[in-house]
Amino acid sequence: MYRLDALDARILLALDRDPSATILALSQTLGVARNTVHARLRRLTEGGALQPFSRRVDPRALGYDLTAFVELAIRQGAGDAALAELRKIPEIIEIHSTTGDVDFLLRVVARDTADLHRITNLMLEIPGVLRTNTSIALQEVMPLRLTELLRQATEGK
């Protein structure tokens, strides 16, 4: 993974303020050569530091009004095969491997509780899945935030 420096953080903060800013506008705003901004953005993208635009889309805009977190336990040795099958379920939008009593933590979106039930049953049909535990998110009280971390990075912290 590409590590951001202060200039990278400044570029990303500028894009955060104006996502449609052109490379020329960014270079003028930041007082940096256009080619430098262009090269940095390419490196950020190729290095995995800048995520795809689709990550910014709110699932509710697609009709998925319910978010749930599913803890999933799998049979030992079944991890890779189970993951391959889980990835086929489009409503599973994030999967994290975890420590503790469960193997994976999934973020799942659904249209409603009946849809969530359908999705959970799909998971349980996957060979190697032992059990699930589902928590429905009532409200997002603090969305993902990185702005302050970017500001710190501009100061070299």
Side-chain angles (χ1 to χ4, degrees):
M1 164 88 43
Y2 177 79
R3 293 286 183 163
L4 276 66
D5 64 15
L7 179 56
D8 295 327
R10 289 178 56 217
I11 292 169
L12 293 175
L13 283 170
L15 278 172
D16 210 26
R17 286 188 295 274
D18 183 5
S20 63
T22 64
I23 290 174
L24 179 60
L26 289 170
S27 71
Q28 291 171 343
T29 300
L30 300 171
V32 178
R34 184 182 56 79
N35 287 339
T36 300
V37 173
H38 183 43
R40 290 295 184 113
L41 286 171
R42 187 176 61 248
R43 255 194 316 228
L44 289 167
T45 301
E46 291 171 359
L50 194 57
Q51 299 293 320
F53 188 80
S54 64
R55 292 193 57 147
R56 297 179 56 185
V57 176
D58 187 330
R60 292 174 296 187
L62 297 168
Y64 294 93
D65 294 328
L66 188 144
T67 298
F69 297 93
V70 178
E71 297 175 324
L72 191 133
I74 57 167
R75 183 177 29 79
Q76 197 167 4
D80 290 342
L83 273 174
E85 293 302 311
L86 289 168
R87 286 185 179 112
K88 293 178 183 177
I89 302 172
E91 294 88 355
I92 298 173
I93 60 171
E94 259 183 306
I95 302 175
H96 296 270
S97 178
T98 61
T99 62
D101 294 333
V102 296
D103 300 293
F104 299 114
L105 177 64
L106 289 62
R107 186 165 79 150
V108 176
V109 294
R111 297 187 185 284
D112 52 33
T113 54
D115 193 33
L116 179 61
H117 185 257
R118 175 190 64 80
I119 296 162
T120 303
N121 282 334
L122 288 174
M123 291 179 218
L124 289 168
E125 291 172 4
I126 295 172
V129 171
L130 299 174
R131 68 182 177 285
T132 63
N133 183 40
T134 303
S135 297
I136 295 175
L138 299 176
Q139 180 181 12
E140 183 179 64
V141 295
M142 187 183 87
L144 176 67
R145 61 178 185 164
L146 297 173
T147 305
E148 287 307 314
L149 295 176
L150 285 169
R151 282 196 182 107
Q152 286 180 10
T154 65
E155 299 165 6
K157 294 182 181 178

